[in-house]
Amino acid sequence: MPRYALRIEYHGGPFAGWQRQADQPSVQGVIEAALARLEPRAHSIAAAGRTDAGVHALAQVAHCDLGKDWAPFRLAEALNYHLRPHPVAIIEAARVDDDWHARFSAMERRYLFRLLVRRAPATHDRGLVWQVRQALDLEAMRTGAAHLVGRHDFTTFRAVQCQAASPVKTLDEITIEERDRANGVEYRFHLRARSFLHNQVRSIVGTLERVGAGAWAPDDVRTALAARNRAACGPVCPPGGLYLAGVGYPDDPFTG
């Protein structure tokens, strides 16, 4: 059966997360239902990462096996037709080898978190950013973030229910950029690693926001990391500002 990689964009607001669920809407569920409209049978797709309820994606990657030899462009167009009106889009499809796997072939995941500092309520970006009112110190947040780059035991920054075999991960990059917005400032956190723990990004950003607000000193982030204790973590920020921004592979199936 031909295997296809799918690059997927979605708004996570209406969904209980990526993973298929029996009694709640999921991104996986609506894509599998669209596939069943093309080839009537039960379908099961695998993704590079399982985003939580309310988390968005700019470039999630999944793969599916089909009986028909589809032209990738036609497959993407057909799926997008059947995905309406859900806020899910197949940005691109590509034919891949039978042993290619969206999750296990991936070398890195990239996440974006958007934090808006503004007193007036967000309107166009409601549900797409985490909004706070107090001013933040960018350089303090960058100093605190530097303590997290590298290979560490991230027990402090993972959810209690995390199912990963080990809390030890290598965070390859965390950068923070500042953008002017109407009567406010947006901070964009970019994180890159081979894989992440459950709630790791939201735990890190929530902690760094406390640093930016002056409630924590930058060195407190290093102390929290060394504690290897979930209780030492700052608040976990809401999911609406988080995006799966990209997945890296040794050979990108969507190029060439």
Side-chain angles (χ1 to χ4, degrees), residues 36 92 115-116 192 233 237:
E92 195 172 359
L115 193 165
L116 175 65
R192 178 172 57 87
C233 185
C237 57

PDB file of all heavy atoms in Angstrom, residues 36 92 115-116 192 233 237:
ATOM      1  N   ALA A  36     -11.481   8.167   5.064  1.00  0.00           N
ATOM      2  CA  ALA A  36     -12.517   7.160   4.828  1.00  0.00           C
ATOM      3  C   ALA A  36     -13.489   7.592   3.734  1.00  0.00           C
ATOM      4  O   ALA A  36     -14.130   6.742   3.096  1.00  0.00           O
ATOM      5  CB  ALA A  36     -13.276   6.882   6.123  1.00  0.00           C
ATOM      6  N   GLU A  92       0.448  20.052   2.473  1.00  0.00           N
ATOM      7  CA  GLU A  92       1.209  19.367   1.438  1.00  0.00           C
ATOM      8  C   GLU A  92       1.168  17.876   1.704  1.00  0.00           C
ATOM      9  O   GLU A  92       1.088  17.432   2.856  1.00  0.00           O
ATOM     10  CB  GLU A  92       2.659  19.866   1.450  1.00  0.00           C
ATOM     11  CG  GLU A  92       3.473  19.527   0.244  1.00  0.00           C
ATOM     12  CD  GLU A  92       4.831  20.227   0.238  1.00  0.00           C
ATOM     13  OE1 GLU A  92       5.107  20.983   1.181  1.00  0.00           O
ATOM     14  OE2 GLU A  92       5.602  19.998  -0.718  1.00  0.00           O
ATOM     15  N   LEU A 115       3.329  34.870  23.417  1.00  0.00           N
ATOM     16  CA  LEU A 115       2.894  35.513  24.659  1.00  0.00           C
ATOM     17  C   LEU A 115       2.669  36.990  24.363  1.00  0.00           C
ATOM     18  O   LEU A 115       3.595  37.689  23.941  1.00  0.00           O
ATOM     19  CB  LEU A 115       3.959  35.314  25.743  1.00  0.00           C
ATOM     20  CG  LEU A 115       3.589  35.633  27.190  1.00  0.00           C
ATOM     21  CD1 LEU A 115       4.624  35.022  28.138  1.00  0.00           C
ATOM     22  CD2 LEU A 115       3.513  37.127  27.461  1.00  0.00           C
ATOM     23  N   LEU A 116       1.459  37.455  24.576  1.00  0.00           N
ATOM     24  CA  LEU A 116       1.109  38.842  24.295  1.00  0.00           C
ATOM     25  C   LEU A 116       0.999  39.629  25.592  1.00  0.00           C
ATOM     26  O   LEU A 116       0.272  39.236  26.505  1.00  0.00           O
ATOM     27  CB  LEU A 116      -0.235  38.895  23.555  1.00  0.00           C
ATOM     28  CG  LEU A 116      -0.807  40.293  23.280  1.00  0.00           C
ATOM     29  CD1 LEU A 116       0.102  41.070  22.327  1.00  0.00           C
ATOM     30  CD2 LEU A 116      -2.226  40.196  22.708  1.00  0.00           C
ATOM     31  N   ARG A 192      13.602  24.038  20.282  1.00  0.00           N
ATOM     32  CA  ARG A 192      13.943  22.966  19.346  1.00  0.00           C
ATOM     33  C   ARG A 192      14.637  21.835  20.093  1.00  0.00           C
ATOM     34  O   ARG A 192      15.550  22.065  20.883  1.00  0.00           O
ATOM     35  CB  ARG A 192      14.859  23.506  18.235  1.00  0.00           C
ATOM     36  CG  ARG A 192      15.331  22.474  17.227  1.00  0.00           C
ATOM     37  CD  ARG A 192      16.073  23.152  16.072  1.00  0.00           C
ATOM     38  NE  ARG A 192      17.210  23.944  16.541  1.00  0.00           N
ATOM     39  CZ  ARG A 192      18.441  23.450  16.737  1.00  0.00           C
ATOM     40  NH1 ARG A 192      18.705  22.161  16.527  1.00  0.00           N
ATOM     41  NH2 ARG A 192      19.409  24.249  17.158  1.00  0.00           N
ATOM     42  N   CYS A 233       8.561  23.904  39.820  1.00  0.00           N
ATOM     43  CA  CYS A 233       8.269  24.554  38.544  1.00  0.00           C
ATOM     44  C   CYS A 233       7.389  25.779  38.747  1.00  0.00           C
ATOM     45  O   CYS A 233       6.600  25.852  39.690  1.00  0.00           O
ATOM     46  CB  CYS A 233       7.576  23.558  37.612  1.00  0.00           C
ATOM     47  SG  CYS A 233       7.277  24.179  35.942  1.00  0.00           S
ATOM     48  N   CYS A 237       1.646  27.477  31.626  1.00  0.00           N
ATOM     49  CA  CYS A 237       0.846  28.442  30.887  1.00  0.00           C
ATOM     50  C   CYS A 237      -0.226  27.743  30.061  1.00  0.00           C
ATOM     51  O   CYS A 237      -0.139  26.548  29.787  1.00  0.00           O
ATOM     52  CB  CYS A 237       1.735  29.319  30.012  1.00  0.00           C
ATOM     53  SG  CYS A 237       2.752  28.425  28.855  1.00  0.00           S
TER      54      CYS A 237
END
